[in-house]
Amino acid sequence: MDLQVGQIVISKAGRDKGVAFVVTKLEGDYALLVDGKSRRLDNPKRKKTKHLQPMNYMDKNLAQIITTGAYLKDADFRATIKMAFNKHL
């Protein structure tokens, strides 16, 4: 599975099944995920990549900001997830 930083994914397993997240970092078989609501930047969710369903949406601007380490707010992640679902409806 080829996940990238800034990509929107859906959790396939666990207590957060069906929740959309943004990938903020990849660590081997794990991804660090943020949704801006229950999982914020200061406490990302660490989840195995096999439990994630990637969506065909990636915010390249957000990905560039994440990789450079620039300032981001949780609202930026909520807006990206909302935009992804509006484009796919």
Side-chain angles (χ1 to χ4, degrees), residues 22-35:
V22 177
V23 176
T24 58
K25 189 174 180 182
L26 296 168
E27 298 176 339
D29 290 340
Y30 290 90
L32 295 178
L33 309 170
V34 174
D35 69 354

Side-chain angles (χ1 to χ4, degrees), residues 1-13 16 20-35 39-40 43-54 66:
M1 177 181 314
D2 293 336
L3 293 179
Q4 298 176 349
V5 172
Q7 186 173 13
I8 306 292
V9 295
I10 306 292
S11 173
K12 295 192 303 186
D16 56 3
F21 293 99
V22 177
V23 176
T24 58
K25 189 174 180 182
L26 296 168
E27 298 176 339
D29 290 340
Y30 290 90
L32 295 178
L33 309 170
V34 174
D35 69 354
R39 286 300 180 161
R40 298 178 181 243
N43 187 25
K45 172 77 175 171
R46 187 171 185 252
K47 196 163 187 82
K48 283 195 172 195
T49 56
K50 71 178 184 179
H51 295 150
L52 299 173
Q53 175 66 45
I66 292 169

Side-chain angles (χ1 to χ4, degrees), residues 48-87:
K48 283 195 172 195
T49 56
K50 71 178 184 179
H51 295 150
L52 299 173
Q53 175 66 45
M55 288 185 63
N56 192 18
Y57 183 84
M58 182 176 154
D59 189 342
K60 293 185 192 276
N61 294 329
L62 184 65
Q64 183 178 11
I65 294 170
I66 292 169
T67 55
T68 59
Y71 179 73
L72 278 170
K73 298 182 285 187
D74 291 312
D76 297 328
F77 293 97
R78 289 192 302 267
T80 299
I81 291 170
K82 185 175 181 179
M83 187 181 346
F85 281 101
N86 286 339
K87 285 190 174 193

